[in-house]
């Protein structure tokens, strides 16, 4: 066995613990002519190289059906990196990077295609003198998973020689409900062991999401207050001005609840609500997150009617530009009943969070691209200052996931002058200015972790199953109920339907203005 090298102390690359270094490997991207490859995966791999973290002798092979040569693929990637890389394009880095990139044209079900892939990967291993480590990235629709997995197993690509590894990264959606997620996981588990299966959730790779645990467990001042005694409620928001773009067929079948809440927002909620893990290993962290998902109160149809608001965007204006209603989007059913906005109140029924509502809000065609967690603390007693100047307002700790990643704390302060006037002020920490460097993109971090064999920031099978159990109750109340709650509408460019405001107003609260 090769000893596992430890990462040098590059602060941007240190993880939650002292992680192992990424190992040289052959990365194979299935669905390499898709959008994700151009916008995210290749720019991420390029930036890993630009930062000097891509292990020498790592190769990247794009596997797709379209006719292309290595050279034409490289030309497309060159353009994509120019457009989408966070650090821009440096021709010197590109020259080195491009020699590592290859294109493999094949149908997903072709024996010949996998046979020649195996030969190609072996040859690359021989030429570079590296261990036969493989990282397969399934950036394809779930309908293609089975065919690809069967072929990988048939040609022995899921197994590799002693001391090497073969892993698979699976993109969401992980199913459409608990049942289909189970089938999908069963299918993957027939070919790859759970320890080699990496279910990617790019929200977990966001720098500030990783910082939630550091904020909570590396500072003495927050954790004692982090419970129902001091916290009034928590708001988690993910807003985006974009509509469904070119993803009509997928999105119209999924909706905001499955697209964002089942995965990203549930994962974030878990990081906020979990107990301290016993250590920073992947399983200890994921064990704690699992306990949170298990504590999320399942809703009856009556609870859903009371606690969940769904809505679809109408036409409107985003950044001064007129945009069409959802039903008029490309390849969306003109009578679609799919939600593009969800607001909900979630209860986490455990000792720490009893009685503290978590409000979640997510939507497309909202005014801003913004994701944040806001922790509202309880107000001070209504004596002294809070008696003299009623409604001082609570302390609010805001963790900004994007844009302008950072953390701020709202508190009360005396305005200078002879009179006693109290005003809210903000202590603010911005990643950009404090560390003087842009944060790595989520995909950079996650790809590196998969190469290093660290699954902490990937969803485990039982977490995914349990999250679906929660979501299925809501989907059931919407779609298999003689009396379903209404589908509201909101103009594009607004903050959602009035019903979302009423949800909080009924509890004497309001959404934070972003
Ligand atoms: C994806 C969803 O997982 O996340 C998209 O499928 C959504 O619908 C996207 O637009 C949002 O990601 P981010 O990082 O821009 O907030």
């Amino acid at each position: 066995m090769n000893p596992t090298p430890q990462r040098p102390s590059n602060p941007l690359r240190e993880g939650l613990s002292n992680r192992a270094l990424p190992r040289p490997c052959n990365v194979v991207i299935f669905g390499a002519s898709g959008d994700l490859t151009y916008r995210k995966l290749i720019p991420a791999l390029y930036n890993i190289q630009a930062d000097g973290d891509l292990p020498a002798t790592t190769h990247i092979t794009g596997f797709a059906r379209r006719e292309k040569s290595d050279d034409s693929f490289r030309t497309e990637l060159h353009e994509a990196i120019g457009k989408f890389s966070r650090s821009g394009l440096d021709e010197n880095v590109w020259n080195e990077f491009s020699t590592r990139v290859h294109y493999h044209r094949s149908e997903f079900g072709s024996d010949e295609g996998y046979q020649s892939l195996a030969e190609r990967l072996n040859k690359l291993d021989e030429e570079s003198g590296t261990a036969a480590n493989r990282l397969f990235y399934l950036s394809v629709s779930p309908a293609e998973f089975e065919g690809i997995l069967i072929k990988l197993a048939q040609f022995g690509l899921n197994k590799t020689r002693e001391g090497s590894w073969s892993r698979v990264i699976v993109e969401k959606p992980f199913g459409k409900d608990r049942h289909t997620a189970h089938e999908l996981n069963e299918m993957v588990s027939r070919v790859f062991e759970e320890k080699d299966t990496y279910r990617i959730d790019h929200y977990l790779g966001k720098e500030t999401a990783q910082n939630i645990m550091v904020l909570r467990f590396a500072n003495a001042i927050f954790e004692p207050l982090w419970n129902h005694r001091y916290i009034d409620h928590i708001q988690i928001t993910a807003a985006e001005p974009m509509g469904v773009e070119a993803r009509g067929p997928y999105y119209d079948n999924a909706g905001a609840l499955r697209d964002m809440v089942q995965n990203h927002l549930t994962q974030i909620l878990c990081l906020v609500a979990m107990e301290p893990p016993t250590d920073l290993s992947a399983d200890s962290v994921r064990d704690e997150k699992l306990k949170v998902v298990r504590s999320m109160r399942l809703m009856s149809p009556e609870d859903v009617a009371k606690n969940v608001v769904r809505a679809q965007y109408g036409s409107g204006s985003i950044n001064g530009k007129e945009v069409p209603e959802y039903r008029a989007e490309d390849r969306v059913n003109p009578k679609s009943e799919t939600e593009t906005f969800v607001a909900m109140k979630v209860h986490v029924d455990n000792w720490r969070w009893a009685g503290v509502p978590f409000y979640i809000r997510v939507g497309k065609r909202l005014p801003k691209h913004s994701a944040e967690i806001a922790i509202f603390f309880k107000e001070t007693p209504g004596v002294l200052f809070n008696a003299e100047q009623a409604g001082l307002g609570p302390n609010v700790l805001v963790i900004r996931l994007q844009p302008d990643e950072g953390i701020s704390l709202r508190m009360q302060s005396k305005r200078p002058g002879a009179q006693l006037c109290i005003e809210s002020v903000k202590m603010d920490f911005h990643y950009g200015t404090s560390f003087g460097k842009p944060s790595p993109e989520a995909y950079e971090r996650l790809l590196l972790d998969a190469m290093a064999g660290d699954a902490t920031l990937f969803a485990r099978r039982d977490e995914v199953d349990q999250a679906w159990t929660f979501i299925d109750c809501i989907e059931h109340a919407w779609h298999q109920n003689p009396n379903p709650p209404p589908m509201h509408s909101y103009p594009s460019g607004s903050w959602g339907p009035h019903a979302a405001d009423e949800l909080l107003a009924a509890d004497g609260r309001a959404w934070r203005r972003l």
Side-chain angles (χ1 to χ4, degrees):
M1 288 278 282
N2 298 337
T4 304
Q6 292 300 307
R7 263 184 200 168
S9 62
N10 170 353
L12 277 184
R13 289 287 169 242
E14 277 172 1
L16 296 172
S17 58
N18 254 339
R19 287 159 194 277
L21 275 174
R23 308 290 300 275
C25 60
N26 267 302
V27 181
V28 180
I29 303 175
F30 287 92
S33 44
D35 219 35
L36 189 73
T37 305
Y38 295 108
R39 282 176 180 268
K40 298 287 182 192
L41 303 182
I42 291 292
L45 289 161
Y46 166 87
N47 276 305
I48 294 174
Q49 156 118 9
D51 283 354
D53 287 326
L54 194 66
T57 67
T58 290
H59 285 269
I60 301 146
T61 302
F63 186 116
R65 289 180 281 224
R66 285 191 208 158
E67 201 58 66
K68 268 175 220 179
S69 64
D70 281 352
D71 279 344
S72 61
F73 187 48
R74 288 177 188 144
T75 309
E76 288 174 5
L77 300 187
H78 182 263
E79 194 188 322
I81 293 169
K83 259 200 198 142
F84 301 116
S85 146
R86 71 171 161 86
S87 65
L89 174 71
D90 175 327
E91 292 297 340
N92 291 327
V93 178
W94 164 255
N95 288 340
E96 161 72 24
F97 182 72
S98 64
T99 60
R100 299 168 174 228
V101 177
H102 317 273
Y103 187 74
H104 193 79
R105 201 217 76 81
S106 169
E107 297 300 317
F108 292 141
S110 144
D111 282 0
E112 200 278 319
Y114 289 80
Q115 177 65 46
S116 52
L117 176 70
E119 287 161 10
R120 200 164 180 179
L121 298 183
N122 289 339
K123 189 154 169 265
L124 285 169
D125 282 334
E126 263 168 42
E127 283 168 8
S128 359
T130 47
N133 294 330
R134 271 102 201 231
L135 184 60
F136 297 105
Y137 199 117
L138 301 191
S139 174
V140 292
S141 104
E144 310 279 9
F145 282 6
E146 187 165 17
I148 294 174
L149 290 165
I150 289 174
K151 292 290 168 206
L152 287 177
Q154 186 183 332
F155 289 90
L157 286 156
N158 57 334
K159 302 257 176 323
T160 178
R161 40 177 205 261
E162 178 76 31
S164 303
W165 45 260
S166 186
R167 298 179 185 138
V168 67
I169 302 186
V170 188
E171 263 292 336
K172 66 179 256 282
F174 313 125
K176 208 173 178 294
D177 52 24
R178 187 180 167 115
H179 175 69
T180 49
H182 177 77
E183 286 187 337
L184 194 75
N185 279 322
E186 281 294 297
M187 186 202 302
V188 177
S189 71
R190 284 194 283 273
V191 178
F192 288 93
E193 288 178 44
E194 178 65 22
K195 73 172 176 47
D196 294 319
T197 304
Y198 288 69
R199 294 175 196 82
I200 202 161
D201 185 310
H202 79 280
Y203 264 57
L204 290 179
K206 290 186 191 281
E207 196 63 46
T208 326
Q210 295 167 50
N211 201 17
I212 297 171
M213 275 178 61
V214 178
L215 176 82
R216 292 187 54 197
F217 306 131
N219 291 293
I221 59 171
F222 298 115
E223 200 47 28
L225 307 181
W226 211 262
N227 57 55
H228 65 96
R229 279 185 287 280
Y230 300 99
I231 292 181
D232 177 69
H233 75 281
I234 294 176
Q235 298 184 10
I236 304 178
T237 299
E240 55 183 334
M242 284 192 322
V244 285
E245 313 291 305
R247 298 163 73 223
Y250 153 72
Y251 194 87
D252 208 30
N253 253 307
L257 187 68
R258 292 188 178 109
D259 184 49
M260 293 290 288
V261 182
Q262 187 274 339
N263 35 68
H264 308 324
L265 298 192
T266 302
Q267 288 289 335
I268 295 296
L269 186 152
C270 286
L271 290 175
V272 172
M274 68 191 241
E275 296 301 316
T278 41
D279 55 51
L280 293 171
S281 68
D283 275 333
S284 298
V285 172
R286 298 188 298 178
D287 285 347
E288 294 307 329
K289 287 201 291 155
L290 176 64
K291 288 185 202 159
V292 178
V293 210
R294 284 203 179 130
S295 309
M296 287 165 71
R297 190 185 298 170
L298 301 181
M299 291 190 228
S300 66
E302 295 72 39
D303 295 331
V304 171
K306 237 174 37 203
N307 295 326
V308 187
V309 171
R310 56 175 173 162
Q312 193 183 73
Y313 61 78
S315 58
S317 146
I318 296 274
N319 297 328
K321 197 175 149 240
E322 293 305 307
V323 293
E325 60 171 346
Y326 174 71
R327 290 177 181 179
E329 297 276 19
D330 183 29
R331 291 176 297 155
V332 164
N333 177 354
K335 294 192 177 141
S336 174
E337 285 291 320
T338 299
E339 79 289 352
T340 59
F341 176 98
V342 178
M344 63 203 288
K345 175 159 83 169
V346 178
H347 287 285
V348 177
D349 285 332
N350 63 21
W351 190 265
R352 186 186 283 260
W353 296 113
V356 179
F358 287 69
Y359 298 100
I360 292 178
R361 168 175 59 158
V362 55
K364 291 201 180 283
R365 289 288 192 227
L366 302 188
K368 273 187 176 175
H369 194 196
S370 171
E372 65 158 50
I373 303 151
I375 321 278
F376 286 72
F377 288 88
K378 290 192 169 158
E379 297 220 20
T380 52
V383 293
L384 304 180
F385 304 118
N386 210 5
E388 293 203 352
Q389 192 176 323
L392 279 183
N395 294 122
V396 184
L397 180 73
V398 176
I399 305 172
R400 291 187 303 275
L401 300 175
Q402 64 192 25
D404 184 22
E405 295 104 318
I407 299 172
S408 70
L409 179 61
R410 179 161 290 283
M411 56 180 132
Q412 312 307 328
S413 174
K414 179 184 168 302
R415 192 196 295 162
Q419 297 219 325
L420 181 70
C421 277
I422 298 179
E423 257 188 39
S424 285
V425 293
K426 214 161 74 168
M427 268 173 36
D428 217 346
F429 146 65
H430 299 258
Y431 267 83
T433 45
S434 298
F435 294 113
K437 265 193 174 188
S439 304
E441 284 263 334
Y443 278 95
E444 293 173 41
R445 172 56 197 262
L446 296 172
L447 282 163
L448 270 173
D449 280 2
M451 289 182 208
D454 185 337
T456 314
L457 299 175
F458 293 81
R460 204 170 57 189
R461 180 173 176 169
D462 45 9
E463 289 178 76
V464 173
D465 274 358
Q466 192 61 37
W468 275 121
T469 305
F470 175 78
I471 296 294
D472 280 359
C473 294
I474 304 174
E475 291 285 349
H476 183 271
W478 285 350
H479 302 294
Q480 284 156 43
N481 175 6
N483 250 335
M487 171 70 76
H488 298 274
S489 172
Y490 61 101
S492 286
S494 72
W495 278 105
H498 292 307
D501 298 327
E502 285 157 14
L503 177 71
L504 268 71
D507 295 342
R509 301 183 175 111
W511 291 107
R512 214 179 87 80
R513 287 176 65 159
L514 271 75

